Amino acid sequence: MTFHADLEYGQDYYQKVDVYAPLNVSEPLPVLLFVHGGAFIGGYKEWMGFMASAIVETPAVLVSVSYRLAPESPFPAAVEDVGDALAWTYHNIAGFGGDPERIFLGGHSAGGHLAALVALDASWLAAHDLGPAIIKGVIAVSAPLDMNFAGEGAGTEAALKMRRTFIPNDEDVIRANPIAQISDRAPPFYVSAGDDDLWSLAEDMKRFASALRDNDVPVIEEVFAGHNHFDTNMRCVDEGHPWIGRVTQFLRSGSPS
């Protein structure tokens, strides 16, 4: 493959992408723009480099994104950055063998939340005169898709602390909550979580999928047995893993099913 590091989509240190692409591309390929996790306060695009071989073999182009982090840069900075990185990808990916008309947006954990939000709320791309229709599908892994964390216990308290660090103003929670932005204009989704995932992420994922179906949006949901929050990411491209099989099919066909 070819590797292109630290391509700038903005002026901030964190506003960069890495691009992994197959050699000798004979026709424009689907593109997966993937957003790292890290509870909105940590992480970087290099975390996702381990996915490159499996995605490139699809064949497809992988774009891994870094974005500004809380608490220094709270909501909406990270969401704006993912929207900006998507716009950069749309305008530039043809130069790396990618097809700007077949861009898929994905992410793990906080990254899956950001990907879903940009896909569901047209305002994040409006500054670029683009609409969410440029996103052909969304792949959210172990993502907090409902930020209204309920219940008692240490898990809920940890989730609320994460939310308040990322979204310090409570009045912004609705706009920052993917499940609250669902409409019949949403692109197809593939959502997954582990059966030993953090907090209520697996149950929230199921409710999110149900809300998509209520709006006639194509969606596949999957809970991986024996997977915790980190397994769902680190094991996702293992040979024979159902996640990479599903994603490969999604990128090739445009349908999650």
Side-chain angles (χ1 to χ4, degrees), residues 95-115:
F96 303 91
D99 185 349
E101 302 304 323
R102 287 194 291 165
I103 296 175
F104 295 77
L105 187 55
H108 172 253
S109 193
H113 167 279
L114 298 172

Side-chain angles (χ1 to χ4, degrees), residues 3-22:
F3 173 56
H4 310 270
D6 296 331
L7 304 174
E8 297 178 355
Y9 66 86
Q11 296 184 348
D12 189 90
Y13 172 81
Y14 287 98
Q15 293 172 325
K16 299 182 180 74
V17 300
D18 290 343
V19 176
Y20 304 80

Side-chain angles (χ1 to χ4, degrees), residues 14 35-45 47-48 65-73 78 108-111 114 162 165-166:
Y14 287 98
V35 189
H36 70 79
F40 304 101
I41 62 171
Y44 40 86
K45 57 186 170 53
W47 274 5
M48 300 296 100
V65 185
S66 279
Y67 52 90
R68 289 170 292 169
L69 302 169
E72 291 81 3
S73 300
H108 172 253
S109 193
L114 298 172
M162 176 194 71
T165 301
F166 175 51

Side-chain angles (χ1 to χ4, degrees), residues 68-219:
R68 289 170 292 169
L69 302 169
E72 291 81 3
S73 300
F75 178 86
V79 196
E80 292 172 341
D81 285 357
V82 173
D84 291 351
L86 179 59
W88 180 94
T89 300
Y90 181 79
H91 290 298
N92 292 279
I93 204 62
F96 303 91
D99 185 349
E101 302 304 323
R102 287 194 291 165
I103 296 175
F104 295 77
L105 187 55
H108 172 253
S109 193
H113 167 279
L114 298 172
L117 203 57
V118 169
L120 293 168
D121 183 346
S123 67
W124 301 112
L125 290 172
H128 301 280
D129 295 322
L130 296 171
I134 69 169
I135 303 168
K136 300 311 176 189
V138 181
I139 300 159
V141 185
S142 292
L145 297 169
D146 186 352
M147 301 295 274
N148 289 319
F149 301 113
E152 300 179 353
T156 299
E157 285 302 313
L160 288 171
K161 181 179 180 180
M162 176 194 71
R163 190 188 80 186
R164 290 166 181 153
T165 301
F166 175 51
I167 315 168
N169 299 315
D170 286 345
E171 59 267 28
D172 289 331
V173 170
I174 291 178
R175 189 180 179 213
N177 195 1
I179 200 170
Q181 307 302 324
I182 290 174
S183 73
D184 59 5
R185 297 183 299 277
F189 269 75
Y190 170 39
V191 292
S192 59
D195 65 350
D196 188 28
D197 221 311
L198 292 178
W199 316 317
S200 58
L201 291 184
E203 291 304 315
D204 293 346
M205 178 270 289
K206 293 176 184 178
R207 290 190 299 102
F208 182 86
S210 179
L212 287 172
R213 281 192 290 271
D214 288 345
N215 282 271
D216 296 321
V217 177
V219 58

